[in-house]
Amino acid sequence: GDTIGMTQLSSETIGIAGYNAALDPTTGKVYGYYGVTGSCAWGTADYSTLQVTPIKSISYTDAMVYLACDETGQFYGIDPDLNLCKIDKLSGDVQVIGATGIPHQYIGGAMINAKDHTMIITYCTDTNGGMYEINLETGAGTHVCDFPTNTEVMNLWPGAALATEKAPVAPELTVTAPN
């Protein structure tokens, strides 16, 4: 029933149905979990052509709830059981590293901190939200901070450095004033 004067012209799906994705800085490719013909697959997506290239079919319930890629092109994810995993981008195979101990209920964000090679994630639940740092060697999570009530933060990106590595500190300044 058309109640507001609109007519459906097509039921064709246009676009990419992505569940969780991250950019590989070594290749410029976007890898992630995508809806492919009624199922889910680890694969790559070309957002200019809206094409997904599946690599490995998986169940939606097995897709990572957090996903990030480091500067070497290594992908890391946190699985539905909240374990940190290493993901082989070419095969989609997953190696569990360890339990994170993080809370999780709604969509959050993830990124790799290249400075100390940790994963930073944001989480949100019905009662709180915040940030954790994940040790990429062990999977252990360390609480960093809480967010204000009902705050949900997603799509983390480290941004460009404000200064080059080993840049000199601010110059010293001495001020004297006569009495």
Side-chain angles (χ1 to χ4, degrees):
D2 177 62
T3 60
I4 57 173
M6 293 185 181
T7 304
Q8 180 176 334
L9 299 177
S10 172
S11 62
E12 182 179 354
T13 300
I14 299 172
I16 295 175
Y19 177 69
N20 214 333
L23 176 69
D24 177 352
T26 65
T27 65
K29 290 184 179 181
V30 179
Y31 287 81
Y33 295 94
Y34 298 97
V36 179
T37 59
S39 64
C40 184
W42 169 259
T44 61
D46 182 333
Y47 287 85
S48 65
T49 62
L50 301 178
Q51 296 297 311
V52 172
T53 302
I55 294 172
K56 181 178 186 176
S57 292
I58 64 161
S59 163
Y60 278 110
T61 58
D62 292 332
M64 299 291 151
V65 295
Y66 295 97
L67 184 66
C69 184
D70 73 12
E71 69 280 359
T72 70
Q74 176 60 59
F75 281 81
Y76 293 90
I78 296 178
D79 69 17
D81 294 325
L82 304 180
N83 295 305
L84 176 69
C85 301
K86 201 175 202 179
I87 304 163
D88 181 321
K89 66 184 173 190
L90 300 179
S91 68
D93 291 342
V94 171
Q95 173 192 352
V96 174
I97 295 173
T100 62
I102 62 170
H104 173 74
Q105 189 173 2
Y106 299 112
I107 296 171
M111 63 170 256
I112 302 297
N113 180 352
K115 188 166 187 162
D116 64 4
H117 205 248
T118 58
M119 178 186 272
I120 304 297
I121 67 102
T122 57
Y123 71 94
C124 181
T125 69
D126 281 337
T127 57
N128 63 7
M131 183 179 290
Y132 269 76
E133 180 179 67
I134 310 299
N135 180 312
L136 294 179
E137 298 298 320
T138 66
T142 302
H143 181 259
V144 175
C145 68
D146 292 317
F147 297 147
T149 305
N150 298 322
T151 301
E152 188 171 0
V153 177
M154 301 175 260
N155 302 322
L156 303 180
W157 185 256
L162 297 177
T164 59
E165 188 69 26
K166 298 184 181 181
V169 295
E172 290 186 34
L173 176 63
T174 305
V175 177
T176 58
N179 289 338

